[in-house]
Amino acid sequence: MNTELREFLRSRRAKVTPEEAGLPSFPGTRRVPGLRREEVAQLAGVSVDYYVRLERGRSVNVSESVLDALARALRLDETERAHLYTVARPTRRARPLPPQRVRQGLRVALDAMPDVPAMVIGRRTDVLAANRLARALYKDFDAAPPHERNMIRYAFLDPAARELYADWATNARNGVAALRVYAGRHPHDPELAALVGELSVRDADFRRWWADNDVYSHGHGSKVLVHPVVGEIAVGYESLVTEDDPDVSILLNTVEPGSSSEQNLRLLASWASSQPNSVR
């Protein structure tokens, strides 16, 4: 059974109202949020029985035309559409994922950017490497036990993260949605299952947001951090995927030239250089 497809279709169906889909609605007569299964089937131009099989995770060789029709019926955005294609055609064999290692050249590149917080992010948002300024801005992941070197885990289980992010809820929820995209590509990853299991048990927000089945692509954006040493820093972020491994990206944080955020980041860099034991 294709659990990812089943849960994703159910969650998207619940988010679309009849009015948004251009269907008549009669107040007080609906027992489900969003669209009914037969309404999705009607909008997508497929039989109700066929759609029911899809939503039960019993998909076999779903055509591109059907997936496109479902994406239109459910009003999916670009990220959701891509996720639908991924989960509708899961990997048949659950091959073990090889360990991820950071090439020496990447480590040298990180350290060559002393004024830019930079990290190498791997599967499940694992932090594979970080330069001094990134460790000062977020956390010294190098000093943490291996299983704690993970951005999602940091966001939910480290109290310092809730103080660092000015809008913690939005950042944390986007992180969960990005992790859901990864789950679509690697549904059989045992380390992902362990991470999701731990966070689901230990944090009610994660448990609720994971069940929402939202997906999010965070290639670039912005956020505001409130650092305990230097105060507020508004940063942009760029996530650059490496060519040799699509599950490895270089995360760069930038600040507006001439801004107070740039000044505070410089102060943080100066502080970090004087704290070799805490942010090596």
Side-chain angles (χ1 to χ4, degrees):
M1 180 179 293
N2 189 333
T3 303
E4 286 290 329
L5 177 62
R6 179 189 67 194
E7 298 303 326
F8 185 64
L9 287 176
R10 287 179 177 177
S11 68
R12 296 312 92 182
R13 176 165 62 86
K15 289 179 177 292
V16 181
T17 66
E19 292 82 5
E20 290 172 330
L23 297 173
S25 178
F26 304 99
T29 63
R30 304 185 70 86
R31 294 184 299 173
V32 297
L35 298 176
R36 299 186 179 100
R37 289 172 173 174
E38 57 268 26
E39 290 171 332
V40 176
Q42 175 189 340
L43 291 167
V46 299
S47 71
V48 175
D49 287 343
Y50 182 72
Y51 178 74
V52 169
R53 289 201 303 273
L54 287 179
E55 196 173 285
R56 288 177 177 171
R58 297 173 182 171
S59 62
V60 179
N61 299 325
V62 188
S63 69
E64 288 190 13
S65 61
V66 169
L67 293 176
D68 284 342
L70 287 173
R72 289 192 298 269
L74 295 170
R75 305 174 66 85
L76 304 186
D77 62 25
E78 184 177 344
T79 301
E80 291 170 325
R81 179 185 291 263
H83 187 67
L84 174 64
Y85 268 80
T86 298
V87 298
R89 297 168 175 176
T91 303
R92 296 296 180 183
R93 291 184 299 170
R95 293 177 295 181
L97 294 170
Q100 289 182 304
R101 295 183 175 85
V102 178
R103 290 183 286 104
Q104 182 60 23
L106 273 182
R107 294 185 182 276
V108 172
L110 293 187
D111 292 335
M113 296 183 286
D115 300 323
V116 177
M119 294 187 286
V120 178
I121 306 296
R123 303 185 191 110
R124 304 165 297 272
T125 72
D126 287 348
V127 179
L128 304 180
N131 66 7
R132 182 192 294 269
L133 192 50
R135 296 194 296 270
L137 183 59
Y138 294 99
K139 172 181 178 175
D140 188 358
F141 289 99
D142 289 357
H147 76 282
E148 294 183 8
R149 299 173 190 174
N150 179 276
M151 289 299 289
I152 294 291
R153 194 180 190 282
Y154 163 68
F156 282 94
L157 300 186
D158 192 326
R162 294 179 184 260
E163 300 297 325
L164 178 67
Y165 294 104
D167 186 354
W168 175 85
T170 295
N171 282 277
R173 189 164 190 167
N174 286 344
V176 174
L179 190 65
R180 178 62 79 172
V181 172
Y182 172 86
R185 296 199 307 268
H186 300 291
H188 307 295
D189 181 356
E191 292 186 57
L192 171 68
L195 176 64
V196 170
E198 178 188 19
L199 293 177
S200 296
V201 168
R202 298 182 62 180
D203 192 278
D205 288 327
F206 179 90
R207 185 166 59 250
R208 183 174 67 257
W209 293 337
W210 183 256
D212 286 342
N213 274 270
D214 290 338
V215 292
Y216 178 73
S217 177
H218 61 297
H220 60 87
S222 61
K223 56 191 172 185
V224 176
L225 305 176
V226 184
H227 196 275
V229 175
V230 300
E232 185 174 295
I233 306 177
V235 299
Y237 60 86
E238 297 285 341
S239 182
L240 311 175
V241 178
T242 61
E243 281 196 19
D244 50 349
D245 187 342
D247 287 326
V248 171
S249 60
I250 302 172
L251 181 63
L252 306 175
N253 285 145
T254 60
V255 290
E256 187 70 24
S259 65
S260 60
S261 293
E262 181 184 46
Q263 181 179 0
N264 287 346
L265 190 63
R266 287 179 177 174
L267 288 174
L268 182 62
S270 177
W271 174 84
S273 65
S274 68
Q275 303 291 317
N277 292 330
S278 61
V279 288
R280 298 165 295 166

